[in-house]
């Protein structure tokens, strides 16, 4: 074996050997050495396996990764080295072991420059030998740890060799001065220190001292770099560093080698300040870290200059030093975590108090390492962090900060913790201006600067600042349970961050890119600031996971931060920052409280005390901030699950458990609400009091239904507010009360309901704000609604009672049943211990007292509410309760209002003074209806009456069953009577409405007893007979209301009226008409319209139709009003100057035509010399006719003649008052009545119940009207200059309509018209037709055209009545009319023909008037067309022979025997000068020839002549 190995070595050293031979020999030798030591391990039964420490560890992307990897790779070494106990050594060796030992000794000798005895080699490259030794030391650790000979060789030979090689005090020459040799030496030393330091304490101490000495010496940079790499390797290996610290630093007799290493590395870092190229070096360091983070090797360019190489080398050294320091930091953090894992340290998440002193081995080690190293590490890291800008190096250093700070927190190392936090905070935010502030906590380094810059200055957050802030957040999240007093440092920084986030001038530093400024700003806001803001919020939101003690510490720190800003001077350039810090503290305290609402009790007093103190500050902004914070905190607690459905939990838990929970809940609720009361009563500041009330308002609005135990305090506070003089306070207090009344009554404890009623009454009575009083009165109504629910669900309501809704009428019997049931249970206990009856009466008492308030608006509102509540909930009141209400509240309220209205001042008020103008005060105008105290009380009285009307409308049937209600009713009637006669118009109307509402509501359903109904009518009659205290429009309005009431009363109570009652009703209406006519005697003349009272009578008249059971009252009704139509008899001049006497139907003496008397009734007449106005009659005629047409048949026939006669009198007013509409309306009404009469006769025939004399009387009256009106008032030239052409045309059309009805309806239809009446009617037509021909020619020329047209139309009607055209409906009446008409017509035609010839001859050459020509032409034409009925021919005055001939030709259809009668006159007209006349006569003569059958003879003679 030795020979073979020797051959390899000789080939390696032979200068003649080629490179390939040399390489092969070296590899063979290395492999042989490995095989030999493998055999040694096997032969000596040592643990198999090799370690990776044979070469330099490959580096990861970060120092943290290097530390973790070092831990993983060292686990296989077992716990022997870690524990520090020396292994069991063996002194004897096997042959193989001896062989390996000889090989090891020869290699050591060769490495020292000597010869190898066993290998028989005199010289070998030391580097190669040292490399083999390094390989053996790193891969066969068990050999040296177990076999004593090997361990001694290591200690005596190898260590001596390495110590000699490490010396740097002499000039290094030859191979030992080469970097490769030095590297191998250092690596070998590193392996010995790393792997064998536990057994080679002294040697390792020497080695480490020598290595540290190198860092101080002025050696080549590469040499120092090699040493720094070794030191870095120790630092990043947690196991190695732990063993070294345990064996040396913790051993009092040994050197503090780890501390020395850290100081050496720190010195390298600190030397950068003295270098001229420090900036370039730091930039290179940043580049190296960046490259490492990316996983690539950092390298220089090939053509780099010497200066660049130097800078790179210096940067490499600094990088190694920084990485070494970070390795120490991460090692400490790793060991701390290991101590937590083995239970020696408690996790920061644990809720246990830390011990006074840690006792675990690893824990003690960690504490010792922190105590000895933290200051050096902090100085170095803070220096490099302050000088570095690269992202990778900053992140790596901040990771170190975080790891070490967290370790300090876990170890409860307060001073290192605070120092690292203070140092970290310095790198968080850059402000242009900073003032140093002394820290309250001891720290060997300068504390972070207090930020004192005006918000207007620009704030720039660099990437380093952002990363530092993130690191700070990570530390705070990790250590929130152990920070304790250190929170102050964190919070000061977070407060500054908060101000920066909310500053409009804050930005983050961006990399210089061609991105628009606006885009960069948006990117900044949406990235860094948003993330930091979110982290800031999350930190405090996570307080829900903290221990209670930690939360208290955090809150204490926030309070301390706020106090510091509050107690410092409020003036100066930092005021806004101080307020910002206070705002930050307050907001974070709120956030903590919100997130800890589930366990708020330990923190509540601490937070609220600070808020109360802040609210007492003189600064308005701080006050508002505190109030808002208090609001949010209270809302958060009340909105938490703690207050959800406690009633449900009540039912689910056991009794004892329930009591405990309720006690806790009661305590919590009271503690949450009590600060509001304390805040209100502890200050005189109106703003603070307003704020407390606003908070209470928010609480009630959101969480009022969850409150239960704090209501007494709340109501007490609100009651106190009601009496203050500040309007704002009263307003807010009342808003709170509104929320309670509207939404929170169901949540109120039963014992608080009465207090709530009293508080509401206090707000109603307060004088500070009127609107509040009004709304408070409305809240009392809300209270009654709530109380009524208790009544409904309580002992006062049974299902059998059948109580209906308030909007329905209440059945009296059911009401009595309910009352009986209610009285039977009145002695039972109240529902849930609440006496709802007492509560209800307390509300009524308040409303009654408010009804006497001096403010009209308040008392009116109270009155309305009192009666509205009674009306709404009256069906739930028992009989005794209603008696109490009526006699104690309703009628007393009416009496008091009446008394006040009668005794109040009538002096006019002046409105509120608005200012001055011209030195005089200007007052607000007050409406005349309410400008005195009396008028205001009248308004209240009106409301009282309206309220009484409401409850009477709803409960009158039930009231009639109450004892003594009749006496109350009589007093009410007496009051109504007095109000109408002596009160104001408004009161009188309200009094009337009160009665009317009651009567109208119950009469139609039969709930109004007759005595009550008669009493109402008696009151109205009495009022109308007595003079009232007012005149003019007011009196009219009251009278109108009474009349409307009477009409509605009759409509609703028709079934209750008999003949006596109806007669009394009509008498009252008649009395009203008479009074109206006497009072308004000149009203029509002055204003040209119907007085209001009469207009009202016209409105109600259609309502007074008698019902079927009193149908005999129809004539009474109609006659009563017919008397108000014109009652006049006229003597009319006809064409023959004869007089027609218009007799009254009752045989009364006719009234002289030159006197016109208007009778308003009661037999009195008034002579009016001027033309009378018939406006009332105009309005009355259509109403009466409509009523008449609706009357039953029997009653209608009784009154028919009087109706016709009255209409005729109205029609005759045309001559005296042609402009009036009365005669026109009468004509239309007459036509209507006549058509109705004729139609019924045709359709049904004469009614057998109607006697013939009655029908004859009717026809006589009809004939009289036709005769008088057609002859005397139609077709006349009446004196009127005011009628327009349109009106004249309408009047003419009206005349034609009455002619048409006469000629086409009455005289043609089959009705039972007496013969003498038919003769009169035909005669009337003839007299009207004679107008044109009877007048002298000179007069005809002056006559208006419509007169001749009327005369001609009458003539047409005569021709129509005589004409026969084979009608199918020819009847007896038609036949009689035809006989009468043909005689009259022939006479008229003969007169017209003879008169024409006479006038024509008399005029000579002068033409006749057009009217006369038209008339004769029409007559001649119609005679040619006229065909008469054969039955009418015998009536004609003809020669007997002609009669005989006509009788023989009776069956002819075109009989014209009437031409024989006129033949002489026609023959005379042949000589007329008018061609048209002669032609028409010629036609008629031919017709006569034809009628005589003479035309045949004439034809025959003509034929013979032609032959």
């Amino acid at each position: 074996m030795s020979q073979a190995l020797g051959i390899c070595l000789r080939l390696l050293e032979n200068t003649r050997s080629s490179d390939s031979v040399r390489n092969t020999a070296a590899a063979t030798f290395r492999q042989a050495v490995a095989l030999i030591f493998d055999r040694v391990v096997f032969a000596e039964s040592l643990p198999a396996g090799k370690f990776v420490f044979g070469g330099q560890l490959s580096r990861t992307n970060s120092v943290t990764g290097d530390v973790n990897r070092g831990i993983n790779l060292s686990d296989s070494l077992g716990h022997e080295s870690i524990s520090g106990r020396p292994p069991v050594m063996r002194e004897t060796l096997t042959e193989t072991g001896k062989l390996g030992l000889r090989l090891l000794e020869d290699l050591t000798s060769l490495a020292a420059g000597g010869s190898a005895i066993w290998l028989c080699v005199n010289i070998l490259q030391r580097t190669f030998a040292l490399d083999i030794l390094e390989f053996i030391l790193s891969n066969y650790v068990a050999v040296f740890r177990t076999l004593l000979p090997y361990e001694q060789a290591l200690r005596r030979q190898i260590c001596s060799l390495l110590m000699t090689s490490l010396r740097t005090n002499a000039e290094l020459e030859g191979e030992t001065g080469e970097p490769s040799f030095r590297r191998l030496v250092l690596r070998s030393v590193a392996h010995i220190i790393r792997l064998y330091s536990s057994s080679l304490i002294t040697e390792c101490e020497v080695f480490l001292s020598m290595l540290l000495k190198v860092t101080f010496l002025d050696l080549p940079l590469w040499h120092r770099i090699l040493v720094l790499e070794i030191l870095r390797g120790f630092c990043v290996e947690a196991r190695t560093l732990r063993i070294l610290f345990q064996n040396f630093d913790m051993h009092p007799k040994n050197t503090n080698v780890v501390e020395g290493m850290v100081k050496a590395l720190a010195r390298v870092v600190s030397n950068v300040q003295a270098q001229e190229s420090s900036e370039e070096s730091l930039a290179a360091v940043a580049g190296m870290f960046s490259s490492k983070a990316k996983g690539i090797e950092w390298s220089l360019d090939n053509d780099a200059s010497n200066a660049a190489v130097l800078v790179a080398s210096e940067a490499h050294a600094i990088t190694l030093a920084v990485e070494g320091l970070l390795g120490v930091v991460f090692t400490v953090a790793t060991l701390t975590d290991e101590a937590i894992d083995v239970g020696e340290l408690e996790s920061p998440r644990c809720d246990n108090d830390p011990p006074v002193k840690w006792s675990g081995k690893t824990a003690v080690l960690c504490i010792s390492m922190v105590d000895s190293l933290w200051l050096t590490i902090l100085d170095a890291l803070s220096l490099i962090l302050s000088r570095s800008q690269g992202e990778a190096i900053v992140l790596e250093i901040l990771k170190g900060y975080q790891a070490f700070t967290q370790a300090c927190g876990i170890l409860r190392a307060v001073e290192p913790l605070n120092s690292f936090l203070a140092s970290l905070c310095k790198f968080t935010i850059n402000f242009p201006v900073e003032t140093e502030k002394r820290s309250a906590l001891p720290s060997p380094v300068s504390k972070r600067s207090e930020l004192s810059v005006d918000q207007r200055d620009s704030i720039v957050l660099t990437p380093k600042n952002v990363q530092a802030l993130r690191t700070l957040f990570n530390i705070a999240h990790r250590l929130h349970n152990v920070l304790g007093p250190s929170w102050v440092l964190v919070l000061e920084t977070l407060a500054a961050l908060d101000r920066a986030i909310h500053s409009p001038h804050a930005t983050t530093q961006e990399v210089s890119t061609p991105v628009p400024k606006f885009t960069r700003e948006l990117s900044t806001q949406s990235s860094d600031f948003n993330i930091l803001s979110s982290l800031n919020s999350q930190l405090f939101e996570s307080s829900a996971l903290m221990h209670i003690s930690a939360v208290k510490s955090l809150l204490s720190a926030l309070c301390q931060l706020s106090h510091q800003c509050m107690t410092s001077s409020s003036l100066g350039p930092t005021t806004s920052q101080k307020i910002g810090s206070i705002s930050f503290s307050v907001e974070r305290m709120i956030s903590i409280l919100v997130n800890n609402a589930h366990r708020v009790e330990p923190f509540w007093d601490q937070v609220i005390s600070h808020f109360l103190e802040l609210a007492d500050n003189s600064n308005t902004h701080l006050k508002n901030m505190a109030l808002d914070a208090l609001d949010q905190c209270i809302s958060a607690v009340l909105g938490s699950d703690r207050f959800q459905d406690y009633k449900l939990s009540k039912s689910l838990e056991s009794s004892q458990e329930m009591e405990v929970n309720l006690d806790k809940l009661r305590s919590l609720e009271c503690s949450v609400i009590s600060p509001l009361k304390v805040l209100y009563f502890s200050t005189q500041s109106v703003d603070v009091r307003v704020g407390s009330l606003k908070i209470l308002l928010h609480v009630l609005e959101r969480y009022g239904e969850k409150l239960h135990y704090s209501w007494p305090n709340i109501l007490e506070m609100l009651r106190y507010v009601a009496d203050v003089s500040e309007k704002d306070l009263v307003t807010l207090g009342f808003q709170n009360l509104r929320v309670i009344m509207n939404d929170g009554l169901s949540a109120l404890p039963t014992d608080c309901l009465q207090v709530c009623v009293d508080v509401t009454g206090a707000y109603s009575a307060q004088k500070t704000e009127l609107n509040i009083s009004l709304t408070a009165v409305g809240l009392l109504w809300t209270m009654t609604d709530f109380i009524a629910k208790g009544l409904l669900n309580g002992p006062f309501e049974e299902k059998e009672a059948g109580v209906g809704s308030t909007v329905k009428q209440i059945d009296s019997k059911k009401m009595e049943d309910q009352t009986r049931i209610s009285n039977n249970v009145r002695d039972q206990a109240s529902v849930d211990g609440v006496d709802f009856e007492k509560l209800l009466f307390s509300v009524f008492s308040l409303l009654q007292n408010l009804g006497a308030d001096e403010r009209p608006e308040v008392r009116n509102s109270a009155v309305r509410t009192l009666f509205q509540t009674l009306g709404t909930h009256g069906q739930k009141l028992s009989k005794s309760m209603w008696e109490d209400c009526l006699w104690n509240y309703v009628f007393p309220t009416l009496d008091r209002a009446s008394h006040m209205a009668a005794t109040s001042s009538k002096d006019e008020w002046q409105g509120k003074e608005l200012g001055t103008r011209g030195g005089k005060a200007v007052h607000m105008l007050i409406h005349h209806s309410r400008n005195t105290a009396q008028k205001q009380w009248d308004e209240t009285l009106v409301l009282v009456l309206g309220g009484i009307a409401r409850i009477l409308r709803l409960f009158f049937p039930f009231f009639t069953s109450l004892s003594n209600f009749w006496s109350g009713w009589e007093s009410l009637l007496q009051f109504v009577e007095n109000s109408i006669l002596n009160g104001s118009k408004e009161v009188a109307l309200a009094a009337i409405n009160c009665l009317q509402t009651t009567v109208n509501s119950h009469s139609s359903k039969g709930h109004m007893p007759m005595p009550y109904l008669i009493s109402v009518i008696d009151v109205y009659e009495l009022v109308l007979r007595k003079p009232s205290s007012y005149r003019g429009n007011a009196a009219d309005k009251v009278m109108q209301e009474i009349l409307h009431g009477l009409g509605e009363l009759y409509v609703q109570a028709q079934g209750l009226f008999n003949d006596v009652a109806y007669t009394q009703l009509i008498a009252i209406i008649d009395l009203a008409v008479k009074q109206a006519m006497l009072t308004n005697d000149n009203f029509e003349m002055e204003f040209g319209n119907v007085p209001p009272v009469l207009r009202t009578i016209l409105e109600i008249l259609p309502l007074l139709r008698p019902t079927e059971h009193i149908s005999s009252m129809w004539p009474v009704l109609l006659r009563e009003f017919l008397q108000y139509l014109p009652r006049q008899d006229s003597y009319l001049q006809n064409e023959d100057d004869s007089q027609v006497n218009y007799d009254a139907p009752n045989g009364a003496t006719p009234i002289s035509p030159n006197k016109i008397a208007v009778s308003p009734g009661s037999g009195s007449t008034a002579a009016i010399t001027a033309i009378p106005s018939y406006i009332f009659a105009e309005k009355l005629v259509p109403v009466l006719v409509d009523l008449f047409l609706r009357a039953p048949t029997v009653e209608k026939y009784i009154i028919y003649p009087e109706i016709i006669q009255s209409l005729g009198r109205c029609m005759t007013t045309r001559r005296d008052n042609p402009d009036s509409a009365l005669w026109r309306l009468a004509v239309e009404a007459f036509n209507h009545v006549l058509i109705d009469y004729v139609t019924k006769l045709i359709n049904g025939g004469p009614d057998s119940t109607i006697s013939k004399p009655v029908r004859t009387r009717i026809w006589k009256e009809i004939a009289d009207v036709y005769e008088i009106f057609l002859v005397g008032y139609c077709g006349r030239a009446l004196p009127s200059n005011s009628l327009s052409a349109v009106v004249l045309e309408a009047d003419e059309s009206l005349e034609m309509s009455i002619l048409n009805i006469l000629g086409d309806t009455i005289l043609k239809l089959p009705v039972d018209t007496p013969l003498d009446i038919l003769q009169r009617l035909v005669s009337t037509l003839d007299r009207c037709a004679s107008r044109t021909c009877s007048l002298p020619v000179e007069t005809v020329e002056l006559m208006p055209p419509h007169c001749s047209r009327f005369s001609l139309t009458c003539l047409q009607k005569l021709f129509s009545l005589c004409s026969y055209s084979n009608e199918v409906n020819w009847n007896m009446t038609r036949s009689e009319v035809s006989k009468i008409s043909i005689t009259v017509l022939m006479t008229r035609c003969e007169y017209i023909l003879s008169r024409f010839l006479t006038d024509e001859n008399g005029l000579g050459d002068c033409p006749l008037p057009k009217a006369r020509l038209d008339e004769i032409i029409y007559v001649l034409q119609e005679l040619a067309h006229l065909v008469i009925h054969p039955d009418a021919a015998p009536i004609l005055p003809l020669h007997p022979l002609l009669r005989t001939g006509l009788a023989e030709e009776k069956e002819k259809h075109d009989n014209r025997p009437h031409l024989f009668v006129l033949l002489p006159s026609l023959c005379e007209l042949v000589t007329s000068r008018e061609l048209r006349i002669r032609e028409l006569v010629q036609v008629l003569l031919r017709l006569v020839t034809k009628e005589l059958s003479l035309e045949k003879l004439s034809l025959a003679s003509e034929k013979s002549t032609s032959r």
Side-chain angles (χ1 to χ4, degrees), residues 737-953:
L737 181 63
R738 285 182 65 182
V739 173
I740 296 173
M741 296 292 288
N742 291 331
D743 305 320
L745 280 178
S746 58
L748 278 179
T750 55
D751 55 343
C752 292
L753 290 175
Q754 183 62 54
V755 181
C756 190
V757 171
D758 296 338
V759 173
T760 308
Y763 278 96
S764 302
Q766 56 82 34
K767 301 295 192 297
T768 304
E769 177 61 33
L770 175 62
N771 288 332
I772 290 178
S773 295
L774 298 177
T775 313
V777 172
L779 293 182
L780 289 174
W781 189 356
T782 304
M783 177 59 79
T784 60
D785 292 341
F786 177 77
I787 296 171
K789 292 179 182 178
L791 293 174
L792 182 64
N793 299 324
F796 302 121
E797 190 267 341
E798 296 288 337
K799 291 183 179 178
E800 304 82 70
V803 181
S805 172
T806 57
V807 297
K808 299 178 181 178
Q809 296 299 328
I810 301 175
D811 185 85
S812 179
K813 182 178 178 182
K814 290 183 179 180
M815 197 71 176
E816 292 174 0
D817 293 342
Q818 178 202 6
T819 303
R820 184 175 58 256
I821 294 171
S822 300
N823 291 333
N824 291 337
V825 297
R826 285 176 60 81
D827 295 333
Q828 297 179 4
S830 300
V831 180
D832 294 332
V834 182
D835 189 347
F836 287 105
E837 180 178 340
K838 181 180 177 182
L839 277 175
L840 189 62
F841 283 139
S842 67
V843 175
F844 289 163
S845 179
L846 280 174
L847 292 173
Q848 185 186 36
N849 294 333
L850 290 170
D853 195 282
E854 62 183 12
R855 296 168 295 176
E857 299 84 357
V858 175
R859 64 171 178 261
N860 292 345
S861 179
V863 167
R864 288 192 195 95
T865 305
L866 174 62
F867 287 102
Q868 286 169 341
T869 53
L870 284 172
T872 303
H873 305 297
Q875 80 277 11
K876 301 171 187 176
L877 304 183
S878 65
K879 193 169 186 177
S880 61
M881 290 179 70
W882 260 120
E883 290 176 349
D884 291 341
C885 289
L886 290 176
W887 301 115
N888 296 332
Y889 300 110
V890 175
F891 290 124
T893 300
L894 177 62
D895 294 339
R896 180 166 54 186
S898 176
H899 174 72
M900 294 301 297
T903 59
S904 296
S905 173
K906 297 183 180 180
D907 298 336
E908 291 190 6
W909 292 344
Q910 278 192 332
K912 180 181 178 182
E913 185 174 336
L914 302 177
T916 58
R917 176 182 294 174
K920 296 182 179 180
V922 178
H923 297 273
M924 181 184 293
L925 294 178
I926 302 178
H927 194 266
H928 65 83
S929 63
R930 55 198 315 270
N931 61 353
T932 67
Q934 185 191 42
K935 292 178 180 178
Q936 296 279 14
W937 274 105
D938 282 343
E939 183 179 359
T940 303
L941 188 54
V942 168
L943 292 174
V944 173
L945 289 168
I948 294 176
R950 174 184 171 88
I951 62 174
L952 289 176
R953 175 173 60 84

Side-chain angles (χ1 to χ4, degrees), residues 992-1008:
I992 296 169
N993 181 67
C994 180
L995 292 184
Q996 281 304 126
T997 302
T998 306
V999 174
N1000 296 342
S1001 301
H1002 302 288
S1003 296
S1004 60
K1005 297 179 174 58
H1007 296 156
M1008 173 63 68

Side-chain angles (χ1 to χ4, degrees), residues 52-253:
V52 298
F53 292 109
Q56 179 67 26
L57 284 172
S58 62
R59 295 166 62 177
T60 61
N61 294 344
S62 66
V63 180
T64 309
D66 292 343
V67 172
N68 294 333
R69 185 175 181 186
I71 293 172
N72 295 332
L73 294 176
S74 63
D75 285 343
S76 60
L77 293 176
H79 298 283
E80 181 271 326
S81 297
I82 298 175
S83 63
R85 293 191 302 270
V88 179
M89 305 294 289
R90 294 207 308 258
E91 296 182 1
T92 60
L93 297 175
T94 63
E95 291 300 324
T96 304
K98 294 177 181 178
L99 177 64
L101 180 61
R102 286 194 292 270
L103 177 59
L104 179 66
E105 291 174 347
D106 282 356
L107 287 173
T108 304
S109 177
L110 290 172
S115 59
I117 299 174
W118 183 68
L119 292 175
C120 303
V121 175
N122 295 325
I123 190 170
L124 184 66
Q125 291 183 5
R126 298 178 63 182
T127 303
F128 180 76
L130 192 60
D131 184 35
I132 298 299
L133 283 176
E134 189 263 343
F135 170 75
I136 295 171
L137 290 173
S138 62
N139 287 279
Y140 300 98
V141 179
V143 173
F144 294 98
R145 289 184 176 179
T146 307
L147 303 177
L148 182 60
Y150 280 88
E151 192 266 343
Q152 291 176 350
L154 175 62
R155 182 191 303 273
R156 295 170 184 172
Q157 299 177 29
I158 297 176
C159 288
S160 298
L161 168 65
L162 295 176
M163 288 179 188
T164 304
S165 301
L166 276 178
R167 291 175 184 168
T168 58
N169 54 353
E171 186 69 25
L172 299 177
E173 298 177 355
E175 188 178 2
T176 59
E178 294 180 0
S180 58
F181 182 80
R182 306 303 297 179
R183 180 178 292 107
L184 286 173
V185 171
L186 291 173
R187 287 174 59 181
S188 299
V189 170
H191 286 310
I192 292 175
I193 295 172
R194 183 180 296 113
L195 301 174
Y196 309 105
S197 59
S198 298
S199 57
L200 303 175
I201 298 295
T202 304
E203 288 78 4
C204 287
E205 184 176 2
V206 173
F207 284 142
L208 287 169
S209 299
M210 295 178 72
L211 290 175
L212 296 178
K213 186 178 180 181
V214 172
T215 61
F216 290 93
L217 298 178
D218 186 16
L219 294 176
L221 192 56
W222 61 266
H223 194 176
R224 285 187 281 130
I225 290 174
L226 292 177
V227 173
L228 290 173
E229 286 181 347
I230 299 302
L231 295 179
R232 175 200 175 275
F234 295 155
C235 293
V236 300
E237 295 172 14
R239 172 189 165 279
T240 302
L241 198 63
R242 173 179 181 169
I243 294 174
L244 291 178
F245 196 85
Q246 283 180 332
N247 293 338
F248 297 101
D249 292 71
M250 293 185 67
H251 201 286
K253 295 182 180 180

Side-chain angles (χ1 to χ4, degrees), residues 21 24 38 72 120 271 350 573 687 901 956 1147 1151 1155 1273 1290 1426:
V21 173
T24 303
D38 287 341
N72 295 332
C120 303
N271 288 337
C350 185
D687 293 339
F956 182 80
I1151 301 175
K1155 288 186 178 181
Y1273 299 91
L1426 178 63

Side-chain angles (χ1 to χ4, degrees), residues 311-326:
V311 169
S313 299
E314 293 175 349
H316 191 194
I318 297 171
T319 301
L320 292 173
V322 172
E323 290 181 346
L325 292 173
L326 292 175

